[in-house]
Amino acid sequence: MKVCFFGGGALRLFGVIRAAMADVGVLDNGEVFLYDLDLTRAEAMGRMLLKTPERARANCQIRWGNSLDEALLGADMVGVILPASAPKSYMLGHHESFDRGFISSDNISPNGAVSAVKIAPVLMNLARRMEVQCPNAWLINFVNPIAVLSAMVNNHTKIRCLGVCAGFTNHLSDISRIFGEDQEAEDLVVDCAGVNHLSYIIDGQWQGEPILEALNRHIDDNWKMCELQPWWDSFARDNITNSVTTLVKLWRKYGVMVFSSEGDGLAHLMYDDALVNCRKHNPNRTVAEVEAAIQSNRKVRQNMDNKFQQYLDRELDDDFWENHWKEDSTFRRQDQNIFVRIMAAIAGVREMRLATSRPNEGAIAGIRDDQCVEYSQVLIGEKIASANDQPLQIPDVAMGMTSALASHQTMLGNALALEDPVMLARALLTYPVRPFSRDLSELYQSLFKLAGDEIHPTYQQAVQYL
């Protein structure tokens, strides 16, 4: 099997590809192509992968380069890991959003919607090149907002696209933590339905008991956050604690357990509180301060690259591969990562149960077939289908918001594919927090102005219809 990663120098890929090569039959005698415009990063990733014990086991070819057609030719899977927006316009968009009463993120938010407008031509070009070079390949998109881009590609090209999220594995740890242990559950199987970052656990088992009943029994007045493992740094500890306690809070208030704990999704069930929190953790900054922050972030990333690359010319023993991840998480093998599961399924090694963003096709009751939603699926080889024989039912308390988000994101993806500025403006205004309001319209106008030539000229025409 040949897999290609678009943005192949991304450090997050290292543990993913290690895990895929460790899985017998997935990449054995196969090929990984790391496509990246930054050849230095792609080469570093490739050379480090060549040093791993997993590569030695799988006898997998590792290549890198910046020729897209060479990267795509004959691929069975193409994974995409890119930022959707330039950091300056995205960061300045935070306070444009806050000032008008809206949260800001790279996914479910007005700023996230405009990020889709910025990156759409790149994804559409990739899908069109895939139609020529690898028409039967799966496009696995990790770029937010994944549901918008999945709708765009699935509904308007011949390429099959799955929108995937790191949050897929969040629930494996979040549920364990709710029940008192900071570890990743290995045998937890649940049914979920909703939209990416705001889907809900509908059914499943926890240690032989129906999971919703187990949660109801366990989350009582004496519930408290579990003790976290010592390797988490203070930033991670705060994020984990906040996410898990928020899940518990929403369970107590609405009786729903959100499948994955990303903040912008949770925000839609507690919007005012989330907006206060956004403002608290994102103090208003001038353009000069934003530019300074960008430079600082680039230095941090360069330091991470340097730290990674220092091992390229060293002999690395078994102890390094087994334990160094405790000091540097970049080296941790990501055996449960959704990319790893997908590669195993596409290779035909085993049927895999997943949750991805793709057209509904009858999986969730009350959602149109073409609307892009997140739900439990099974994938093996060329075949993908809902994991359930009957349509899943989103909890009544959450159905209105969820279906409105699905409609908004799908309409946005359709407008971007069709390059229709009128439809694009209408799609943007359907964001279901104060939809069609003057504040929402003015926010989008400001975000388009901040983006400037990041936005394709055809899409820029949408401003006159907002």
Side-chain angles (χ1 to χ4, degrees), residues 69-83:
D69 284 350
E70 181 184 4
L72 296 179
L73 183 62
D76 299 287
M77 188 203 85
V78 179
V80 187
I81 299 179
L82 295 173

Side-chain angles (χ1 to χ4, degrees), residues 286-329:
T286 65
V287 172
E289 288 171 331
V290 166
E291 290 173 342
I294 292 169
Q295 289 300 319
S296 176
N297 290 340
R298 286 174 179 162
K299 289 179 181 179
V300 169
R301 176 54 207 256
Q302 186 60 56
N303 288 337
M304 293 174 65
D305 284 340
N306 293 342
K307 188 177 178 182
F308 181 75
Q309 293 170 21
Q310 68 177 313
Y311 296 103
L312 287 174
D313 297 315
R314 297 186 189 182
E315 292 293 329
L316 304 175
D317 59 16
D318 290 344
D319 181 68
F320 176 91
W321 294 113
E322 290 175 10
N323 295 303
H324 185 67
W325 65 268
K326 297 174 184 176
E327 301 175 29
D328 184 347
S329 60

Side-chain angles (χ1 to χ4, degrees), residues 83-386:
S85 173
K88 183 176 179 179
S89 61
Y90 174 68
M91 292 171 69
L92 290 172
H94 288 332
H95 294 284
E96 292 291 334
S97 301
F98 303 156
D99 290 347
R100 290 177 174 83
F102 296 93
I103 65 165
S104 179
S105 73
D106 64 351
N107 194 355
I108 313 179
S109 70
N111 207 8
V114 174
S115 292
V117 179
K118 298 172 186 177
I119 197 67
V122 175
L123 266 292
M124 281 299 285
N125 177 65
L126 174 61
R128 294 303 185 197
R129 294 312 303 155
M130 288 177 65
E131 287 178 327
V132 175
Q133 300 293 341
C134 51
N136 297 318
W138 292 88
L139 175 57
I140 312 301
N141 176 49
F142 191 72
V143 183
N144 276 329
I146 65 169
V148 176
L149 301 172
S150 176
M152 178 182 75
V153 173
N154 279 301
N155 291 339
H156 299 278
T157 77
K158 297 176 182 178
I159 297 300
R160 300 164 301 177
C161 178
L162 303 180
V164 301
C165 177
F168 168 75
T169 54
N170 282 1
H171 76 287
L172 298 175
S173 298
D174 289 338
I175 297 300
S176 290
R177 289 168 182 146
I178 289 173
F179 283 107
E181 292 189 52
D182 180 24
Q183 63 180 12
E184 193 173 70
E186 295 184 357
D187 57 354
L188 176 60
V189 177
V190 300
D191 293 326
C192 74
V195 294
N196 180 237
H197 288 196
L198 192 62
S199 55
Y200 311 90
I201 293 178
I202 307 301
D203 200 1
Q205 295 282 316
W206 176 259
Q207 298 181 352
E209 182 179 3
I211 191 168
L212 300 184
E213 293 180 16
L215 287 166
N216 198 47
R217 174 179 50 78
H218 185 76
I219 300 175
D220 56 19
D221 292 340
N222 296 318
W223 184 89
K224 63 179 181 179
M225 182 66 190
C226 68
E227 183 177 346
L228 298 179
Q229 299 283 4
W231 56 69
W232 299 117
D233 60 28
S234 59
F235 180 78
R237 296 173 81 85
D238 287 346
N239 276 346
I240 292 169
T241 300
N242 180 64
S243 295
V244 174
T245 54
T246 299
L247 290 175
V248 170
K249 178 180 178 180
L250 293 174
W251 172 263
R252 286 171 167 162
K253 189 168 186 177
Y254 300 122
V256 297
M257 180 53 61
V258 178
F259 173 66
S260 58
S261 52
E262 286 82 3
D264 64 337
L266 298 174
H268 288 77
L269 301 182
M270 43 183 287
Y271 211 86
D272 289 344
D273 289 345
L275 185 57
V276 169
N277 193 50
C278 282
R279 288 169 170 155
K280 177 181 177 181
H281 293 286
N282 294 276
N284 206 351
R285 291 189 280 194
T286 65
V287 172
E289 288 171 331
V290 166
E291 290 173 342
I294 292 169
Q295 289 300 319
S296 176
N297 290 340
R298 286 174 179 162
K299 289 179 181 179
V300 169
R301 176 54 207 256
Q302 186 60 56
N303 288 337
M304 293 174 65
D305 284 340
N306 293 342
K307 188 177 178 182
F308 181 75
Q309 293 170 21
Q310 68 177 313
Y311 296 103
L312 287 174
D313 297 315
R314 297 186 189 182
E315 292 293 329
L316 304 175
D317 59 16
D318 290 344
D319 181 68
F320 176 91
W321 294 113
E322 290 175 10
N323 295 303
H324 185 67
W325 65 268
K326 297 174 184 176
E327 301 175 29
D328 184 347
S329 60
T330 299
F331 288 86
R332 185 176 188 178
R333 212 172 77 185
Q334 303 289 335
D335 292 338
Q336 297 285 359
N337 186 278
I338 192 166
F339 270 109
V340 179
R341 292 179 174 230
I342 287 172
M343 283 186 271
I346 292 174
V349 171
R350 68 185 66 85
E351 182 178 86
M352 279 293 183
R353 189 181 179 94
L354 310 163
T356 75
S357 293
R358 61 187 298 268
N360 182 44
E361 297 178 349
I364 303 176
I367 303 288
R368 260 192 2 227
D369 283 355
D370 67 319
Q371 290 188 342
C372 195
V373 282
E374 181 176 87
Y375 56 95
S376 297
Q377 302 147 34
V378 287
L379 171 67
I380 181 68
E382 298 290 313
K383 299 178 181 179
I384 191 166
S386 172

